[in-house]
Amino acid sequence: MPAVSKGDGMRGLAVFISDIRNCKSKEAEIKRINKELANIRSKFKGDKALDGYSKKKYVCKLLFIFLLGHDIDFGHMEAVNLLSSNKYTEKQIGYLFISVLVNSNSELIRLINNAIKNDLSSRNPTFMCLALHCIANVGSREMAEAFAGEIPRILVAGDTMDSVKQSAALCLLRLYKASPDLVLMGEWTSRVVHLLNDQHMGVVTAAISLITCLSSKNPDEFKTCVSLAVSRLSRIVSSASTDLQDYTYYFVPAPWLSCKLLRLLQCYPPPEDGAVKGRLVECLETILNKAQEPPKSKKVQHSNAKNAILFEAISLIIHYDSEPNLLVRACNQLGQFLQHRETNLRYLALESMCTLASSEFSHEAVKTHIETVINALKTERDVSVRQRAADLLYAMCDRSNAKQIVAEMLSYLETADYSIREEMVLKVAILAEKYAVDYSWYVDTILNLIRIAGDYVSEEVWYRVIQIVINRDDVQGYAAKTVFEALQAPACHENMVKVGGYILGEFGNLIAGDPRSSPLVQFNLLHSKFHLCSVPTRALLLSAYIKFINLFPETKATIQEVLRSDSQIRNSDVELQQRAVEYLKLSSIASTDVLATVLEEMPPFPERESSILAKLKKKKGPGAVSVELEDGKERGELNDLHGGMGQNTSNSSTPSPSADLLGLRSAAPVSGATPSAGSLLVDVFSEAGPAATSAGVNDDGFLSSAPPTAASEDPAPPLPESDELLNKFVCKNNGVLFENQLLQIGIKSEYRQNLGRMYLFYGNKTSVQFVSFNTTVIGMVFFLNVQTKTVEPLVEGGAQVQQVINIECLTDFIDAPLLNIKFRYGGALQNISLKLPVTINKFFQPTEMAAADFFQRWKQLSQPQQEAQKIFKASHGMDTEVLKAKLLGLGTALLENVDPNPENYVCAGVIQTKAQQVGCLLRLEPNAQAQMYRLTLRSSKDTVSQRVCDLLAEQF
Amino acid sequence: MIGGLFIYNHKGEVLISRVYRDDIGRNAVDAFRVNVIHARQQVRSPVTNIARTSFFHVKRSNIWLAAVTKQNVNAAMVFEFLYKMCDVMASYFGKISEENIKNNFVLIYELLDEILDFGYPQNSETGALKTFITQQGIKGQFQTKEEQSQITSQVTGQIGWRREGIKYRRNELFLDVLESVNLLMSPQGQVLSAHVSGRVVMKSYLSGMPECKFGMNDKIVIDKAGKGGVTNEAGKSTSGKQSIAIDDCTFNQCVRLSKFDSERSISFIPPDGDYELMRYRTTKDIILPFRVIPLVREVGRTKLEVKVVIKSNFKPSLLAQKIEVRIPTPLNTSGVQVICMKGKAKYKASENAIVWKIKRMAGMKESQISAEIELLPTNDKKKWARPPISMNFEVPFAPSGLKVRYLKVFESKLNYSDHDVVKWVRYIGRSGIYETRC
């Protein structure tokens, strides 16, 4: 590029800049700038024409002032004039100004686009490059609209210079990333792939970035690139370091290109063609071999480039996950890096190993490095590396080394960095649970965990330990003993007190035989912690006390005394006071039998996914990736477990040697009698059914909590085709909703504003009568208010009964209500669930508006979340009349003469709900050639846009 | 109480740092620099709270003075102290500039030790300070023991601001009434807000320990006098028409406040040399020395015509001086032509304004300027905000109408009487923020 020569340097600019630099204060600087701006304004006034040089100089000054943080509101025109200059420096400054300062909605954009077009069509490669750089720098939608068609042409044209091709490829990549919908695939795509064969390495490097991006969106179209990439890669890898001239970087041939090729290959599965695959494996082996060779240079750039390729190759190997030999070699290579001097390498090695650990082929190989990793965890100075080491330990853990790893992590926890403690705690808790060989070990581990890092133990962890202890009667005694011992410590963490209170309250009797832990000793121990605890813990302890009264009648007097004391019965906290009062009364009034029934031992919890695992997944820490990967592996393992344990899935208490703590077995349902402390554990069951919720929430009335009626006749799950049925009714109101051999259901509905009425016609197609015919609508009460009239329980053969359903839309909703129909046909119970065809668009109120109004509103709703857009293939014909009918059926007003393109459809409507009205604008752009639609929806509420868009996309 | 005091230059470098209390850490210095001096947006409030620490700052040219405290102090007291500090420094080494502060840093630390003790302001009277903080280096050996003990007894005594045994051959007294008049006027000539803040500054060269009494045309005093002496018909009629209502006033420490409270008479034993006797503010019946009549016409998008007339509104015998009218121009001004009948006018691009200067102007006259401003069309749709036209001037009378009625000096021990004292009185009215919207 022609550098600015001495004579061409702008003296005025240099003077101005040095003036500014010399300013003593901000005020002086502003004064100087004001003066300069006035000067430029007077020069730009337009009475006399300026030559290119001074124009360039002043535009430069303006640019400098802008970069200092001042507003520039003139000079754009002069900059645009510079674009048409024939001098490189002037053109360059013009483009610079425009890339920095011109915002996309400026009226000058047409002029600019024109100038860019001229430059693109000129034969001068430097000018073309400048124009392409400007397009890429601005990268706005307007730019994309104007040039998205032009650039691919330049890119694939045979006579384009190499440097221009490079710029064009990168420019296209930028436009594609900014507005993917405007860069349309076409016949050029196949030719882009062939750029991989280009002579010029720069072009290949630029093109491959583009191809990687494009192929990650539509891999099928670029499938051919795999074999090309492999052959290119093998040519580079096998070449001598001097072959590639300019593209050899510190003795490494074309490192960037190699990395990009390897990354492109990661978008695709392993090649099926044997020859290609062989060649690729050969390449990967060569790369691994090269890593073993002594370095050709001592410079850090050499090793960096080499390692970059190596790491990409390893991630490709991991991605393929099919070559055991390569996987093991990669693992060994990484093992060497684990002890490397360079911190970054150690970090990367640990990170890659995390993913390697999840592959079945290399898991064992990874495990051999356990000592090194543990060492890294302990001695590494950089906290991020330690974090990776912890992740890797977590990933490589299995039954064989669980004890060691958990022990190491626990001991590390005492000195761990605060930022990773919580995650470490969760990991320890999960590993302990997953690989627990015997429960006493598990209980020990978790109690240790609470002792060491009590502050970082989240609720879920101690909920979980209690859940497991309750469900497993073989550990209860041991747990009680351990907890009792742990509580002896003078300073206990509150979480420990919670676990202690709960477990002793339930199973204190199991250790009461020992005089050292007699009931009174237990109680005194617990009560000594009482005053140091927060309110929820105190509440839990009070519940534990009342349980003590049941377990050990001899403590009754003492405990009643405690409950009766002013600090309990007159506690300022309502919850505590209520508990104290109620427990006191309960203990003094109720007979032992009643007491024993009410304060019965907690029933086992239903098994479910470990809440801790859910918590770890929620934590979007840097370790999230490994967690995800881990998940897959774990699922496999669990399935194995279940396969092996098929014979004893009953809720027996025989402990299986491989403890199935995370098992998905269905346990006995929670019975209603979960008194008192149950409420504290309710959080664990985030998805608990109504039974559990009512038992837990109903805390103040826990004595009268009625056992929930067992739902023996649960509604059947909705039919698989019910979604399709629903889609059928998006644009129409009447029709046949469902039909089988027995029953036909017709529907007729009308909607006005936020109200709707639906007539359902149930037709008995048989000659036998339906008995106990019963329908229920299960809706979301928050969204829809649905009122049904009951139907006659008898439907005669061949007869039809009618049911009226009134619907009121309270607020916008997504899921349709369910209609459940039950009847007996010849003694057999029929149970059908359907989705009622009530969709949000039913509450549309059409709105007529003029074009100007429409576009004004359209612009008002310009926030990204207000818009929903879908591009999809037509699944039916693209008949205009049919489309119109459908759009009208949707409930919106079809607006004529609004869109400049008559092909497009524009609709407007207001969705009426009780809570609010949601204005909604719609634009459907059919593309007849491609058989595609683009549907854009804008509304004042994001959920509405999305839902209506989803609904409509299914219709065309 | 003040926890510490810092002085910064315009770059935020600390020139002087004095911490008086332990609750102010070293990082307070940086906190102020980062959050106020180098703040992304200009900090306009003089009080800034950063991490439960209050910073009170004043700026003198390029120098920042900041007082820091963690306690709930009287902000007015802190600012009063800072202003006093500026006065003291100015009287010791002239203009407060980076150079001067660097050259006198030992002196400044010495002063800071003296005028602030554990964060409590002490004697900040320049005259008194100068007796024992000097710039001549160590003078102790030349001072007699007697003189030294005299300083101690004076500084700790009842009248800390004046030492005994002062003798002048000629007893002289200078009294300046300095006022600044502030105005905001609508384009139609309606007064939107106006007030005068004035100071009575004295310079006294009197022997002994004289007792002075100052009298002015304060409305309350005059009304009271009028009521008391009903018989004196003539006096009432003369004094009644020219009394002013003072909204509020503050006095130098030498004024006996109890006497002012009971009799509203201002009596005091004056310090020697320069001092400010009182400060006051009035808002009623202000004489506005100039009237500005603007006329702005926008001719299309690229031209603006401005015509400004100023009228002087005081006795024709008086002369106003240093008149300067500042007419703001739009930000997209590309050229200006100015015609004025009197004085000189120039477009100053660096300040985005036309500055019109007139050296002298007598009362009841008028003058005008007209300008044609060419504008460069911009793609910015914002309309020009039309900032007000501001004005600077100096007039030889008090715009509030304040008149000095008497200044009596009594010295019983030495035998000179009120008549022997030569007294000089001067009135100067200056413009404060004197703006007219256009």
Side-chain angles (χ1 to χ4, degrees), chain A residues 792-895:
Chain A
E792 290 289 325
L794 278 183
V795 184
E796 291 299 334
Q800 196 183 48
V801 289
Q802 183 191 341
Q803 185 179 25
V804 183
I805 300 177
N806 287 322
I807 302 162
E808 186 186 12
C809 179
L810 301 175
T811 178
D812 67 297
F813 60 97
I814 291 176
D815 285 326
L818 286 180
L819 173 69
N820 181 247
I821 305 149
K822 285 199 210 93
F823 58 90
R824 287 184 183 276
Y825 167 68
L829 177 72
Q830 304 287 328
N831 191 346
I832 301 168
S833 277
L834 294 169
K835 283 194 176 170
L836 265 191
V838 180
T839 45
I840 183 70
N841 66 298
K842 299 289 181 196
F843 303 99
F844 256 128
Q845 193 88 329
T847 320
E848 291 289 344
M849 53 177 81
D853 274 358
F854 180 87
F855 283 112
Q856 188 199 351
R857 285 185 203 190
W858 184 263
K859 277 189 196 120
Q860 278 167 1
L861 301 170
S862 60
Q863 286 170 33
Q865 71 267 27
Q866 291 175 331
E867 185 181 280
Q869 193 173 63
K870 269 205 175 173
I871 299 172
F872 51 91
K873 273 221 158 28
S875 47
H876 308 285
M878 297 181 92
D879 189 343
T880 320
E881 288 313 309
V882 175
L883 281 179
K884 275 188 181 167
K886 278 191 173 167
L887 286 171
L888 283 173
L890 181 70
T892 52
L894 187 59
L895 306 178

Side-chain angles (χ1 to χ4, degrees), chain A residues 86-381:
Chain A
N86 276 326
K87 276 204 187 126
Y88 171 77
T89 49
E90 286 166 22
K91 212 182 250 295
Q92 184 201 24
I93 294 296
Y95 274 122
L96 188 60
F97 186 88
I98 279 157
S99 334
V100 175
L101 257 154
V102 172
N103 46 355
S104 53
N105 52 9
S106 155
E107 59 242 37
L108 290 171
I109 207 85
R110 251 192 39 235
L111 286 172
I112 295 168
N113 282 354
N114 210 17
I116 292 177
K117 245 185 202 125
N118 284 340
D119 277 340
L120 283 184
S121 54
S122 78
R123 314 296 304 161
N124 187 332
T126 31
F127 290 179
M128 287 173 89
C129 279
L130 276 178
L132 287 169
H133 293 168
C134 179
I135 297 171
N137 276 333
V138 176
S140 65
R141 243 190 123 67
E142 285 74 15
M143 285 280 181
E145 265 165 15
F147 300 108
E150 178 96 356
I151 295 166
R153 233 173 21 77
I154 296 174
L155 179 59
V156 296
D159 54 348
T160 316
M161 296 271 293
D162 287 336
S163 59
V164 179
K165 270 190 189 168
Q166 280 181 41
S167 299
L170 293 176
C171 179
L172 193 58
L173 173 63
R174 164 82 169 112
L175 291 186
Y176 182 75
K177 278 183 178 164
S179 29
D181 52 315
L182 290 174
V183 180
L184 296 171
M185 300 297 143
E187 47 93 35
W188 57 273
T189 41
S190 59
R191 296 175 65 183
V192 165
V193 173
H194 286 282
L195 285 178
L196 288 179
N197 274 335
D198 201 283
Q199 295 290 320
H200 193 263
M201 295 293 260
V203 175
V204 185
T205 315
I208 199 158
S209 298
L210 176 65
I211 293 169
T212 309
C213 181
L214 291 174
S215 64
S216 62
K217 290 273 163 58
N218 17 348
D220 290 339
E221 285 199 55
F222 292 89
K223 245 192 183 132
T224 45
C225 70
V226 174
S227 60
L228 290 175
V230 170
S231 64
R232 187 93 221 183
L233 183 66
S234 81
R235 260 182 284 155
I236 296 171
V237 169
S238 56
S239 70
S241 60
T242 49
D243 286 0
L244 295 166
Q245 302 287 339
D246 287 352
Y247 287 86
T248 303
Y249 178 80
Y250 289 89
F251 306 107
V252 182
W256 280 276
L257 182 52
S258 315
C259 282
K260 283 181 176 176
L261 284 166
L262 288 164
R263 207 168 282 169
L264 173 63
L265 289 174
Q266 284 174 47
C267 298
Y268 289 95
E272 279 139 25
D273 185 357
V276 177
K277 189 167 184 186
R279 225 169 149 191
L280 179 58
V281 169
E282 205 176 292
C283 283
L284 293 172
E285 272 171 353
T286 321
I287 294 171
L288 288 174
N289 287 339
K290 274 191 182 169
Q292 297 294 339
E293 286 170 15
K296 290 191 180 114
S297 155
K298 280 210 175 108
K299 287 249 168 66
V300 68
Q301 287 95 331
H302 172 70
S303 58
N304 274 352
K306 225 165 86 173
N307 291 334
I309 299 176
L310 180 63
F311 273 107
E312 277 308 329
I314 289 175
S315 18
L316 183 63
I317 293 169
I318 296 169
H319 171 73
Y320 284 166
D321 199 11
S322 59
E323 302 285 334
N325 174 31
L326 284 176
L327 280 164
V328 172
R329 280 194 66 184
C331 182
N332 293 340
Q333 183 60 49
L334 290 177
Q336 287 178 16
F337 285 150
L338 282 183
Q339 280 153 325
H340 201 277
R341 230 162 8 93
E342 190 100 349
T343 312
N344 289 337
L345 268 184
R346 291 199 300 271
Y347 180 95
L348 287 169
L350 287 168
E351 199 181 28
S352 305
M353 257 201 191
C354 257
T355 44
L356 268 180
S358 58
S359 163
E360 49 175 320
F361 301 112
S362 53
H363 187 72
E364 287 304 316
V366 172
K367 267 165 65 183
T368 56
H369 299 291
I370 185 165
E371 289 304 330
T372 327
V373 179
I374 288 171
N375 205 27
L377 185 66
K378 283 178 178 160
T379 57
E380 192 61 60
R381 255 186 312 168

Side-chain angles (χ1 to χ4, degrees), chain A residues 71 73, chain B residues 331-332 378-385:
Chain A
D71 278 338
D73 52 6
Chain B
L331 290 175
N332 55 344
T378 63
N379 48 4
D380 209 10
K381 295 287 176 292
K382 260 184 282 166
K383 220 172 171 276
W384 180 44

Side-chain angles (χ1 to χ4, degrees), chain A residues 26 58 107 130 135 196 243-244 379 398 431 515 571 609 630 661 701 744 841 856 913:
Chain A
K26 192 146 193 144
Y58 294 127
E107 59 242 37
L130 276 178
I135 297 171
L196 288 179
D243 286 0
L244 295 166
T379 57
D398 62 10
L431 290 179
N571 196 301
E609 191 203 9
E630 181 59 15
L661 290 171
Q744 185 192 43
N841 66 298
Q856 188 199 351
T913 69

Side-chain angles (χ1 to χ4, degrees), chain B residues 178-198:
Chain B
L178 306 176
E179 292 194 340
S180 78
V181 54
N182 300 283
L183 168 78
L184 181 65
M185 193 178 251
S186 76
Q188 287 77 33
Q190 193 185 358
V191 175
L192 301 174
S193 86
H195 74 269
V196 170
S197 58

Side-chain angles (χ1 to χ4, degrees), chain B residues 49-269:
Chain B
N49 261 302
I50 306 160
R52 294 191 183 185
T53 312
S54 311
F55 293 82
F56 306 79
H57 76 263
V58 296
K59 218 180 155 197
R60 285 283 180 275
S61 65
N62 272 334
I63 299 296
W64 299 74
L65 280 92
V68 194
T69 181
K70 278 225 159 158
Q71 283 159 319
N72 185 16
V73 297
N74 182 346
M77 184 275 282
V78 176
F79 283 109
E80 189 60 41
F81 171 77
L82 286 175
Y83 293 142
K84 203 79 210 175
M85 172 85 203
C86 292
D87 289 349
V88 170
M89 287 199 290
S91 77
Y92 266 93
F93 49 77
K95 194 171 167 270
I96 298 176
S97 65
E98 187 177 347
E99 184 122 343
N100 277 345
I101 287 180
K102 279 182 177 165
N103 289 341
N104 293 289
F105 76 95
V106 177
L107 171 76
I108 294 173
Y109 277 116
E110 226 175 307
L111 284 171
L112 282 176
D113 277 344
E114 197 53 51
I115 61 179
L116 211 53
D117 192 3
F118 195 48
Y120 292 95
Q122 306 293 314
N123 192 351
S124 56
E125 199 57 51
T126 328
L129 286 171
K130 276 189 173 161
T131 59
F132 52 91
I133 297 178
T134 56
Q135 282 168 289
Q136 275 86 44
I138 305 156
K139 230 174 116 189
Q141 58 220 59
F142 303 108
Q143 274 178 331
T144 61
K145 250 212 171 96
E146 202 176 314
E147 274 175 325
Q148 281 175 2
S149 68
Q150 213 176 1
I151 289 172
T152 318
S153 69
Q154 181 227 319
V155 169
T156 54
Q158 202 181 8
I159 303 167
W161 57 88
R162 188 179 179 94
R163 66 192 168 91
E164 279 183 58
I166 300 171
K167 266 229 155 63
Y168 289 101
R169 207 154 51 82
R170 209 162 109 103
N171 289 310
E172 240 177 335
L173 198 65
F174 299 88
L175 190 146
D176 287 351
V177 177
L178 306 176
E179 292 194 340
S180 78
V181 54
N182 300 283
L183 168 78
L184 181 65
M185 193 178 251
S186 76
Q188 287 77 33
Q190 193 185 358
V191 175
L192 301 174
S193 86
H195 74 269
V196 170
S197 58
R199 306 189 300 148
V200 178
V201 176
M202 291 179 74
K203 195 187 271 186
S204 53
Y205 301 109
L206 299 171
S207 314
M209 290 292 247
E211 173 86 34
C212 299
K213 206 169 170 191
F214 174 68
M216 56 183 179
N217 56 344
D218 181 3
K219 193 168 190 180
I220 298 171
V221 179
I222 301 234
D223 286 358
K224 215 197 281 178
K227 237 175 261 164
V230 190
T231 46
N232 190 352
E233 286 284 320
K236 190 183 175 188
S237 62
T238 50
S239 59
K241 67 176 181 193
Q242 273 193 352
S243 61
I244 62 160
I246 288 175
D247 286 16
D248 47 50
C249 52
T250 56
F251 293 102
N252 188 295
Q253 59 169 338
C254 63
V255 175
R256 289 194 187 88
L257 291 179
S258 55
K259 226 160 193 179
F260 180 76
D261 287 341
S262 57
E263 302 165 26
R264 224 176 152 84
S265 73
I266 303 165
S267 67
F268 55 98
I269 297 172

Side-chain angles (χ1 to χ4, degrees), chain B residues 330-344:
Chain B
L331 290 175
N332 55 344
T333 304
S334 61
V336 177
Q337 270 99 49
V338 207
I339 308 161
C340 58
M341 305 192 302
K342 226 178 149 192
K344 279 180 191 162

